[in-house]
Amino acid sequence: KRSTMCLEEHSALASFFSGRWDQSLDRDAAGRILVDFSPDIFMPLVNFLRQKRIEDPSAPVEPPDVAPENLASFKRMLTYYGILDTVWPRPEGRWEAAWGQIEIGDDARVLTVNAQLDASYHAAAFNVLRLDRQTLPTWSFIVSKTRPDAPWYFDSFAVGLVRAGDQNRPLQWKSTEADLLLNLSGKIFQDASILSTDLQGTMPAEKRSFEVVIQQDKDRIVMMLDGHRRLTSRISSDISGCACCILVAVTYPWIQIHLPPEGQEKQHRVPAPADGILKQAS
């Protein structure tokens, strides 16, 4: 079915079978599209996508069983079609553009923007990894500065949540700035000055990077900074209790958002709030 082959909407595979190129595709005498991969390589993908269409998010479909002698060719085909991460998801997920001129590294691990505009959060990206209390209670990334002399502003970056669909992707791939929930001050929309070079004493300007840990906790999103500063914001009822995708927006070109190095992902426990480190955003 065409819908099966187009399951990963933004992939080269979906583009190939979308119908837009039907007039230019090679076909056999019966009018069937010719695929330049052997059945031993291509059919495991087709069967995987058939199961993926009816997947229960709580019980993800296992990668296809491919003969060892075909595995390298199978992975090359997946890379060619842009769906390697669909079959073998990275434990830390990957970035997909949400809005604006967001710059995503070639390995889909690093976010930045290449220009400074008047507006905060003028570019953003989703991480396709689903965040929920049952299967992935916490998720992390590293924020760093490429300019040692640059300050930390409250709007250096912001995070939010977007409800996930049945697959590991944001529902309908749509989001706006209204979905952002937390920045370095706690609140997204407030009159507090962004001109403090050390975030009012909480983040020294000379600090080059720090770890951010995110948790979706009942009706709130929780953000920990380097394991000690805890910021929270209430989330809307339509996504409370649902599996969500993380949304990250960036304001300044010297700010980079990094996924943790492969093999170094770790589980975090977000501690209960202690006096003096809890901030709530309404």
Side-chain angles (χ1 to χ4, degrees), residues 259-278:
L259 295 177
E262 291 187 67
Q264 296 186 23
E265 304 83 16
K266 55 186 177 181
Q267 290 294 318
H268 299 265
R269 183 179 66 84
V270 176
D275 290 342
I277 62 170
L278 172 64

Side-chain angles (χ1 to χ4, degrees), residues 5-278:
M5 306 311 295
C6 296
L7 189 63
E8 284 295 324
E9 299 174 9
H10 294 260
S11 68
L13 181 68
S15 179
F16 186 82
F17 286 98
S18 65
R20 296 193 298 270
W21 316 108
D22 279 1
Q23 299 303 315
S24 60
L25 297 178
D26 293 331
R27 298 175 181 269
D28 64 11
R32 294 171 296 198
I33 296 173
L34 293 176
V35 175
D36 196 19
F37 293 100
S38 71
D40 290 343
I41 301 296
F42 193 71
M43 288 310 299
L45 171 60
V46 174
N47 291 329
F48 171 82
L49 293 174
R50 286 168 175 163
Q51 293 300 310
K52 196 74 173 171
R53 288 186 69 237
I54 58 174
E55 177 185 64
D56 182 342
S58 64
V61 176
E62 294 289 333
D65 187 13
V66 179
E69 62 271 20
N70 292 332
L71 187 57
S73 297
F74 183 68
K75 288 186 175 182
R76 277 195 295 270
M77 179 188 68
L78 297 182
T79 301
Y80 172 75
Y81 282 134
I83 56 173
L84 181 62
D85 287 337
T86 301
V87 179
W88 280 286
R90 303 178 186 181
E92 75 283 2
R94 71 179 189 276
W95 298 116
E96 295 281 357
W99 70 74
Q101 299 300 309
I102 194 76
E103 297 287 325
I104 301 176
D106 291 339
D107 60 356
R109 303 179 67 85
V110 180
L111 290 183
T112 190
V113 292
N114 60 13
Q116 183 174 343
L117 305 182
D118 291 337
S120 299
Y121 320 124
H122 56 85
F126 302 106
N127 190 285
V128 299
L129 200 64
R130 296 165 65 92
L131 180 70
D132 62 62
R133 295 194 299 277
Q134 286 72 43
T135 60
L136 188 71
T138 62
W139 183 81
S140 67
F141 57 90
I142 304 296
V143 182
S144 66
K145 295 187 301 183
T146 58
R147 279 179 45 196
D149 61 325
W152 291 108
Y153 292 137
F154 286 130
D155 64 346
S156 293
F157 73 96
V159 300
L161 292 175
V162 182
R163 185 172 179 176
D166 292 335
Q167 308 298 328
N168 286 350
R169 61 174 71 88
L171 190 64
Q172 299 178 343
W173 291 85
K174 293 180 180 179
S175 185
T176 69
E177 190 175 337
D179 294 308
L180 297 173
L181 297 168
L182 287 170
N183 65 9
L184 286 176
S185 71
K187 295 182 179 181
I188 295 293
F189 304 105
Q190 62 175 10
D191 296 328
S193 171
I194 65 170
L195 298 180
S196 171
T197 59
D198 62 356
L199 300 187
Q200 297 177 341
T202 63
M203 190 66 67
E206 61 268 20
K207 190 175 183 63
R208 294 289 300 274
S209 67
F210 57 90
E211 182 186 40
V212 177
V213 178
I214 304 294
Q215 180 184 45
Q216 183 184 351
D217 183 19
K218 297 181 180 178
D219 63 345
R220 289 188 173 275
I221 180 176
V222 181
M223 181 169 73
M224 291 288 296
L225 307 180
D226 263 356
H228 59 83
R229 186 164 182 246
R230 189 179 194 270
L231 306 169
T232 76
S233 178
R234 191 175 301 277
I235 60 179
S236 62
S237 59
D238 62 321
I239 62 174
S240 178
C242 299
C244 295
C245 290
I246 296 290
L247 175 68
V248 178
V250 183
T251 300
Y252 304 104
W254 60 82
I255 298 295
Q256 288 189 339
I257 310 294
H258 307 253
L259 295 177
E262 291 187 67
Q264 296 186 23
E265 304 83 16
K266 55 186 177 181
Q267 290 294 318
H268 299 265
R269 183 179 66 84
V270 176
D275 290 342
I277 62 170
L278 172 64

